[in-house]
Amino acid sequence: MRIKFWGVRGSIASPGPRTVRYGGNTTCIEVRTDDGTLIVLDGGTGIFQLSQTLVREMPLDTHVFITHTHWDHIQGLPFFIPIFVPGNTVRIHGAYDIVSGSGIEQVMNVQLQYSYFPVREAELKARIEYETLTVGEPVTVGDATVTSVMLNHPVVDLGYRVDCNGKSVFFTGDHEPWYNIYDPADGEYAEYQRMVDEKHDGLVEAIRGVDVLIADSSYTVAEYPSKRGWGHGTFDSTIALGRRAGARKVVCTHHEPTRFDDDLERAFTEALARSAPAPGDPEVLLAREGMEIQL
Amino acid sequence: MTTLTLEVQRKLGTAVERMPAFPQSVQKILDLTRDINCLPKDLVTVIEKDPVMTMKILKIINSAYYSLPAKITSVNQSVVYLGLNTIKNLALSIAAVGMLPRFNTSGFDIQRYLLHSLTTAAVARQVAVQYARGQLDPSDAYIAGLLHDFGKAVFAQFLAHDFHDALATSRERGIPLHQAELEVIGADHALVGSMLATKWQFPQHLIACIRDHHNLEAEPTALMDCVRVADQICRKLSFGEAGNAWREDEAIVAPQRFGSFEAVIEALGDLEKIVSDAQTFAQV
Ligand SMILES: [Zn+2]
Ligand SMILES: [Zn+2]
């Protein structure tokens, strides 16, 4: 299996000289299974660059898994070139949206409206299929299996584990570790904490033993208290999760749009320094646009 | 037992989808959510006091797509599983449907019904802690207490004419309301409540408790005992009112567990807080 990062930024694309080393595109990760099947995790602006490399492979049959429908994870979809070319099949997988009561089929439709985009969904030339996932039910894609886990974000967010011939990668999408909404003095505190611990343990089990954990590490621990409830993790929470789950490699992603390259490296180094690794702990990396990991 | 036609069953099932929530919670949800920094626990407090909101949220969350490891039975659990913002937006979309009118043509006072449901819920939770420790989850007792009479709210809203007759029959002949409902409507509120709970994939023990809370032949469970005795206590002490007046000849349910009314009421201690909390919310 091979993994390539096409977008590592959170919230909004942020190109410019001060983000040039880590990249300015929003979330998009390419996963190639052993038999060459293309799995795309999220369709942020990075998907446009990815799609330009796909022209040679057409006609192609590709699977896009959307962690959640916030802009920074779907905005590139209308620019995913394969959707305009006849003969291609693009299968889009994602969660059921409990509030709107619709499945992932709305992800393209909401964007391809007359006032916002010149092409209507009906005019796309490729065959587009939508698959609204049942959480936890594995989906077979080529020689790989993709399993979803419900995570914690202001909108339903699915983390995905891709397994292929004994190798595996887990991507959280956007995720804030569950926390207790009660104060220790409140009667509901203990019960709520039990549920929080249960959810967290469940996530650790879902990630258990992966080769690569890619996780939302938007904030520093100093920034976090004022951003609680916004749905993002910290460098420290990602490192701790990777260690607990026994991941081999941990990749911190979803960089803040205003965190320029030097600051990003500094924040990352500080987080590493806070928690000295024990033998056997995973290698921790900063996600960088263009970075590849071969498994 | 049931002679409710399929047609009426279907009508009630779909009607409830559009059933508005209580004015108090709609107003509080709108107020709270205007502030982006509103406290999550405040939001939970409002939602779990409204039987309609609670029913609707549990219904949506237990739908098949999320294949949760166990059925969700509390609002807090929903927040852990789906996240606060999603629950907040669900509550807002329910609030947008409108508000239940206090008076409907059946003459059933929906505010006093809310007070009865809230006090029954709170008393059931406390009874569970004191009399059935380790035998059930106290928050299940709360939910079951809150929802046990949901069928009445549905009747009042969607079968107002028949329900009006059932209320009158019960009053005039001094018979329990569920008996009068059976005579007039062909099914009682317990059956209708459980029918909806089944349709919405609630957990079995909750469905059974709603269905059988008036059926003395049903296999008793700790949950049922707690809800039934809480219902009796709230009616005896006139906490709210749900169309089923207290009858002096009523015997306490599960006497082997509870002894006598005097004993339970004594053991529960001061219920003033439960009542005043519920009154504040129900605004009666
Ligand atoms: Zn994001
Ligand atoms: Zn997001």
Side-chain angles (χ1 to χ4, degrees):
Chain A
M1 198 156 50
R2 189 171 62 78
I3 301 160
K4 184 164 184 181
F5 292 83
W6 292 93
V8 299
R9 221 29 89 167
S11 305
I12 190 161
S14 41
R18 293 198 285 177
T19 55
V20 77
R21 294 207 303 281
Y22 287 89
N25 280 303
T26 65
T27 305
C28 179
I29 302 167
E30 172 187 6
V31 176
R32 289 286 181 165
T33 71
D34 292 343
D35 73 0
T37 303
L38 171 61
I39 296 174
V40 182
L41 301 176
D42 277 343
T45 62
I47 204 172
F48 178 61
Q49 272 76 7
L50 161 64
S51 66
Q52 288 172 315
T53 69
L54 299 175
V55 178
R56 295 183 303 274
E57 289 181 54
M58 292 181 197
L60 98 162
D61 185 345
T62 166
H63 294 259
V64 181
F65 285 80
I66 301 295
T67 61
H68 68 297
T69 50
H70 282 161
W71 278 118
D72 51 328
H73 299 254
I74 64 165
Q75 200 176 2
L77 283 178
F79 298 87
F80 187 48
I81 296 163
I83 62 176
F84 300 105
V85 183
N88 291 330
T89 303
V90 178
R91 296 174 216 267
I92 300 180
H93 307 255
Y96 174 73
D97 180 337
I98 210 167
V99 175
S100 70
S102 38
I104 193 65
E105 67 279 356
Q106 65 174 348
V107 69
M108 209 60 120
N109 200 271
V110 294
Q111 299 189 70
L112 306 188
Q113 298 296 320
Y114 163 76
S115 307
Y116 306 101
F117 202 78
V119 182
R120 293 178 309 133
E121 187 173 17
E123 291 161 352
L124 300 179
K125 292 286 191 290
R127 186 188 159 92
I128 317 259
E129 289 176 6
Y130 297 97
E131 195 65 56
T132 298
L133 298 167
T134 300
V135 181
E137 214 162 81
V139 182
T140 305
V141 179
D143 55 347
T145 318
V146 182
T147 315
S148 51
V149 185
M150 178 116 69
L151 299 181
N152 184 40
H153 199 53
V155 65
V156 172
D157 178 287
L158 301 182
Y160 293 114
R161 178 174 173 137
V162 185
D163 282 279
C164 180
N165 300 319
K167 297 288 182 194
S168 53
V169 55
F170 188 98
F171 176 47
T172 61
D174 290 359
H175 172 63
E176 174 175 12
W178 295 275
Y179 62 90
N180 203 321
I181 62 171
Y182 291 95
D183 299 321
D186 295 333
E188 295 89 344
Y189 182 86
E191 171 65 7
Y192 202 93
Q193 191 58 42
R194 193 187 54 71
M195 295 191 288
V196 164
D197 292 342
E198 198 178 281
K199 283 299 284 176
H200 196 70
D201 293 348
L203 173 60
V204 169
E205 283 326 303
I207 300 175
R208 180 70 65 204
V210 283
D211 293 286
V212 183
L213 165 65
I214 306 165
D216 175 356
S217 317
S218 296
Y219 307 132
T220 65
V221 280
E223 291 159 355
Y224 179 69
S226 61
K227 321 252 177 186
R228 199 163 99 142
W230 292 17
H232 300 288
T234 62
F235 295 104
D236 299 60
S237 66
T238 292
I239 295 170
L241 181 61
R243 285 183 183 169
R244 226 190 117 191
R248 268 169 214 86
K249 254 191 211 345
V250 171
V251 184
C252 298
T253 192
H254 207 268
H255 308 318
E256 281 281 90
T258 50
R259 206 181 312 281
F260 303 130
D261 292 331
D262 293 344
D263 307 322
L264 182 59
E265 283 172 351
R266 194 174 317 116
F268 179 65
T269 313
E270 282 169 9
L272 286 179
R274 256 193 301 280
S275 49
D281 272 350
E283 176 191 7
V284 187
L285 306 166
L286 262 184
R288 182 174 44 75
E289 207 171 298
M291 180 168 93
E292 280 187 68
I293 297 173
Q294 180 76 47
L295 294 175
Chain B
M1 179 184 168
T2 169
T3 51
L4 202 60
T5 63
L6 279 174
E7 174 57 22
V8 176
Q9 287 194 31
R10 198 191 50 75
K11 186 184 146 205
L12 289 179
T14 48
V16 173
E17 312 280 317
R18 297 189 309 272
M19 181 153 170
F22 287 81
Q24 297 82 352
S25 40
V26 169
Q27 200 49 53
K28 287 206 171 96
I29 295 281
L30 296 176
D31 288 346
L32 273 174
T33 52
R34 219 166 273 139
D35 174 11
I36 195 166
N37 294 317
C38 83
L39 282 181
K41 59 182 180 185
D42 292 347
L43 200 64
V44 171
T45 307
V46 176
I47 296 174
E48 71 183 5
K49 283 206 171 80
D50 187 314
V52 178
M53 290 241 174
T54 301
M55 270 292 223
K56 286 194 175 185
I57 284 178
L58 295 186
K59 168 201 151 216
I60 296 170
I61 196 174
N62 283 314
S63 74
Y65 282 114
Y66 298 121
S67 64
L68 301 164
K71 295 284 185 191
I72 300 284
T73 56
S74 78
V75 177
N76 267 329
Q77 228 179 336
S78 317
V79 172
V80 177
Y81 276 88
L82 278 183
L84 185 80
N85 192 55
T86 296
I87 297 302
K88 172 170 131 182
N89 279 277
L90 264 180
L92 275 169
S93 68
I94 297 168
V97 173
M99 307 184 219
L100 271 181
R102 173 159 187 179
F103 295 106
N104 44 73
T105 48
S106 75
F108 185 69
D109 183 338
I110 206 84
Q111 311 288 79
R112 295 191 58 77
Y113 155 82
L114 180 58
L115 186 57
H116 169 70
S117 301
L118 284 172
T119 48
T120 304
V123 171
R125 176 163 54 198
Q126 200 174 323
V127 168
V129 171
Q130 288 179 244
Y131 285 88
R133 187 171 280 283
Q135 298 169 42
L136 78 165
D137 181 346
S139 64
D140 278 358
Y142 178 88
I143 288 282
L146 185 73
L147 302 179
H148 76 285
D149 276 346
F150 192 71
K152 291 181 191 170
V154 175
F155 282 158
Q157 187 72 0
F158 301 112
L159 283 180
H161 184 75
D162 289 353
F163 191 49
H164 174 269
D165 291 352
L167 286 164
T169 303
S170 160
R171 214 170 27 240
E172 284 153 20
R173 299 201 352 233
I175 58 169
L177 178 60
H178 68 274
Q179 250 170 32
E181 290 166 344
L182 274 175
E183 285 179 24
V184 178
I185 303 172
D188 67 9
H189 64 272
L191 182 81
V192 168
S194 72
M195 201 185 79
L196 295 169
T198 307
K199 181 173 176 222
W200 297 341
Q201 304 180 48
F202 277 32
Q204 274 309 322
H205 63 282
L206 219 56
I207 297 175
C209 185
I210 294 174
R211 183 187 60 222
D212 294 330
H213 74 272
H214 289 299
N215 176 9
L216 297 176
E217 264 119 70
E219 188 67 39
T221 60
L223 180 63
M224 196 112 71
D225 286 352
C226 294
V227 170
R228 281 176 174 168
V229 85
D231 176 49
Q232 285 189 313
I233 290 171
C234 293
R235 286 168 44 241
K236 190 173 163 59
L237 301 179
S238 306
F239 298 163
E241 208 259 292
N244 189 25
W246 172 252
R247 291 172 306 281
E248 281 310 326
D249 61 341
E250 274 186 61
I252 190 163
V253 296
Q256 63 299 350
R257 187 192 291 276
F258 300 114
S260 66
F261 282 122
E262 293 68 32
V264 183
I265 292 169
E266 164 87 36
L268 289 175
D270 192 2
L271 296 174
E272 182 52 39
K273 174 136 174 40
I274 283 180
V275 177
S276 64
D277 276 2
Q279 274 172 338
T280 310
F281 188 80
Q283 294 167 7
V284 276

